[in-house]
Amino acid sequence: MYSIYDYTYNGLLYLNNIMRPRKKRLSQLMIYSTTLCQSKCKHCNIWQKRPVEHLSLNDIQQIMQSRCVTQRTTVGLEGGEFILHPQANEIMAWFHEHHPNYTLLTNGLAPRRVIDAVRSYKPRHLYVSLDGNRTTYQQMRGCNGFNRVIEVVETLKNEVPLSLMFCLSPWNTFEDMAFVIDVAKHYHVDIRIGIYGTMAFFDTTSELLKASDFIKQIPLSIHDTQENYDFVALYNEWRNGHLRLRCQSIMSSLVVHSNGDVPLCQNLDVVLGNIHQQSLDEIFNGASTCRTQCHYSRHCNNCWINFHRKYDIILVRNLERIFPKWFIERFYGEYQWTANSQTTYREHIKLIQ
């Protein structure tokens, strides 16, 4: 999933953003360009938002002119359902010409439009949501879309790097996780596993997964996937209050909402600014934002959202490959993977596998 070059680049970017907080650069920028969606998911209420909001092509072009956005910045286009945006084709055409390092996220419910868009505008990666088998899909997403998702995967699996996105939630099960892993294996595509949590933009609740014997229920097939097992297994430690990591992802990853708001992160309802009132550079690298980022980076441990927490896991586990834990804590700050604050990542993962 990630190359040595990716790890090296992100490590250097991390150092730049820590040492030069007023000149930070973005590794990831997610643009929630529309609230339009044709699904009726139980785990997301964006489809109920009224009035419908869109970021225009002009808005997005202004965002992309920011100094904090580089050619190495991966830009994700999503919504709602991005492909329903009234200017979806124009926006993707612009990215194809001016910033080809962009990805498309979709629910796959408009397969012909997704297939045509991918073939015409060639995003670097396609992410397709699938949260279980046919019955679970109907119950969780409120529509009979399973076959349409499979049509997208079957058609494009050899034309673009493709990942299935599975979200473990109170409305599906570990059996559904195993099912989607098997689908990914069958089509020889990647899978990214997330865990349901509070996200203000999607009006989700804070209901947590309460499965007993959490670790034992994780399907063994997850070990055949990349960068998923530790994220899922460590959720149990976080949920029980034993795991604490600094949130460093907010220094290099950013989200822009369909109304122009730029939140600190995907979890907290803390708005740094609005692109209709300030430039993205002023919002992301302003003195007030730097103080806010520093505070929450040190003190917030309130979510297990994969957009943020996978970054933090990878950062600290890689540091532990080079330095002893006590040395890392000298500059990073205290952290712990389990109730025993001295346990390292490798020791804990070895114990639970």
Side-chain angles (χ1 to χ4, degrees), residues 72-290:
R72 282 284 302 174
T73 302
T74 300
V75 179
L77 300 178
E78 57 181 304
E81 172 61 9
F82 172 79
I83 209 70
L84 299 181
H85 192 296
Q87 292 183 292
N89 288 342
E90 293 93 327
I91 292 170
M92 293 186 72
W94 185 90
F95 273 96
H96 178 52
E97 180 177 356
H98 298 284
H99 192 91
N101 187 25
Y102 80 99
T103 64
L104 174 63
L105 292 87
T106 180
N107 58 26
L109 294 180
R112 193 71 258 163
R113 294 176 70 170
V114 173
I115 292 166
D116 290 345
V118 168
R119 287 174 170 172
S120 297
Y121 308 118
K122 297 177 172 53
R124 286 280 170 86
H125 207 111
L126 178 66
Y127 296 93
V128 185
S129 298
L130 184 62
D131 296 313
N133 61 30
R134 191 183 308 274
T135 301
T136 299
Y137 192 100
Q138 174 79 48
Q139 294 173 347
M140 190 167 171
R141 292 187 170 257
C143 61
N144 185 16
F146 182 86
N147 287 345
R148 284 176 276 177
V149 172
I150 297 302
E151 179 184 350
V152 170
V153 175
E154 286 184 336
T155 304
L156 295 176
K157 61 181 171 45
N158 295 321
E159 298 185 30
V160 62
L162 190 153
S163 295
L164 290 175
M165 294 193 300
F166 175 87
C167 179
L168 182 65
S169 78
W171 299 281
N172 58 6
T173 66
F174 285 102
E175 286 74 20
D176 289 305
M177 181 189 292
F179 175 87
V180 177
I181 291 173
D182 286 344
V183 172
K185 284 183 177 180
H186 176 77
Y187 290 110
H188 304 289
V189 298
D190 175 49
I191 180 171
R192 309 284 176 97
I193 297 176
I195 296 179
Y196 174 82
T198 301
M199 295 176 68
F201 181 65
F202 298 107
D203 291 334
T204 59
T205 68
S206 59
E207 183 176 357
L208 297 175
L209 298 170
K210 298 180 176 63
S212 59
D213 298 324
F214 190 90
I215 299 297
K216 294 180 180 179
Q217 294 191 58
I218 300 174
L220 291 177
S221 56
I222 197 173
H223 295 288
D224 299 328
T225 73
Q226 299 184 61
E227 307 287 0
N228 287 310
Y229 176 72
D230 56 0
F231 176 74
V232 175
L234 288 170
Y235 168 82
N236 196 50
E237 295 294 331
W238 173 80
R239 180 189 62 167
N240 291 328
H242 299 154
L243 180 148
R244 184 165 191 86
L245 295 176
R246 289 184 59 172
C247 186
Q248 299 288 61
S249 63
I250 57 176
M251 302 294 187
S252 61
S253 299
L254 203 62
V255 169
V256 180
H257 287 170
S258 52
N259 65 355
D261 281 348
V262 181
L264 173 70
C265 68
Q266 290 193 353
N267 180 60
L268 297 174
D269 196 14
V270 176
V271 178
L272 302 175
N274 188 289
I275 62 157
H276 300 305
Q277 300 166 4
Q278 297 173 279
S279 72
L280 191 65
D281 286 316
E282 291 171 330
I283 294 170
F284 183 56
N285 282 327
S288 175
T289 290
C290 291

